[in-house]
Amino acid sequence: TRNLLQLLTLAPGVTSPLTNNSAIGRNSPNVSVNGSRVTQNGYQINGVDGTDTSLHVFADVGVPAPESVAEVNAQTSLYDASASGAGGSVQVITKSGTNVVHGAAYEYFRNELLNANDPNLQAVGERRPVMRRNVYGATLGGPLQKDHAFFFVSYEGLRQRQSCYASGDKLRENWNVPDRDPAARSERTGARPGGENPRPELREIQA
């Protein structure tokens, strides 16, 4: 997902939910570092505190484009007083301009034709969901005054088209998708596949 905050999940002592690369948005992980809460992590961009002041989680913080980042420092313990947070600490340094004008343009493309189908959808004969993502942008840097002042700008855009599927109950009700788990069906209705009802109270409620 081109999210630099996901680098923190590779550090020892860090736990986080499994990243869903089909999710819409930044997809920033909420990580627990060495048993601390997910709200105790610190985040800085160019020395400025970038932590979400409301929820104190990574899900809502600004994430620069990787093409504009020069350095990422992820620390989980034994950091000095310049780093904030009682859990993990992430410091990001963005690129700077130089005496030479330089720039780049890029685009990353994803399409459902290049993806494998979800095993659950494949089991009931459903096709791959629509997943079309275009991430594009450009960077430009150079001198304002040689050897003294420089500029660097970065832009990134995202266009995404994605489909979703309804819950299992809706699939069974609206599209007659078969129930592949009779045991689970018996827990919902109180009826076993053979017809015996071990939970008559459910039958009375349903009646």
Side-chain angles (χ1 to χ4, degrees), residues 64-170:
E67 286 76 11
S68 66
V69 174
E71 180 181 346
V72 178
N73 184 16
Q75 302 179 77
T76 58
S77 63
L78 301 179
Y79 41 78
D80 58 31
S82 64
S84 61
S89 178
V90 179
Q91 294 95 36
V92 179
I93 304 298
T94 59
K95 292 180 180 179
S96 173
T98 65
N99 283 327
V100 179
V101 176
H102 58 88
Y106 59 90
E107 179 175 4
Y108 295 88
F109 170 73
R110 287 186 62 183
N111 189 285
E112 72 273 9
L113 296 178
L114 305 176
N115 299 339
N117 195 8
D118 185 282
N120 299 307
L121 297 176
Q122 191 172 9
V124 295
E126 290 290 339
R127 67 181 184 275
R128 288 172 290 191
V130 173
M131 174 59 182
R132 300 171 187 175
R133 177 184 293 170
N134 294 81
V135 181
Y136 52 91
T139 61
L140 180 65
L144 292 175
Q145 183 179 0
K146 188 175 181 180
D147 296 330
H148 289 85
F150 311 94
F151 74 92
F152 183 86
V153 294
S154 171
Y155 169 80
E156 181 173 275
L158 169 66
R159 291 177 181 265
Q160 181 161 314
R161 178 184 175 190
Q162 185 171 355
S163 62
C164 62
Y165 284 88
S167 64
D169 290 335
K170 288 297 183 181

Side-chain angles (χ1 to χ4, degrees), residues 200-207:
E201 70 277 6
L202 291 182
R203 180 178 57 192
E204 295 174 1
I205 293 174
Q206 291 172 354

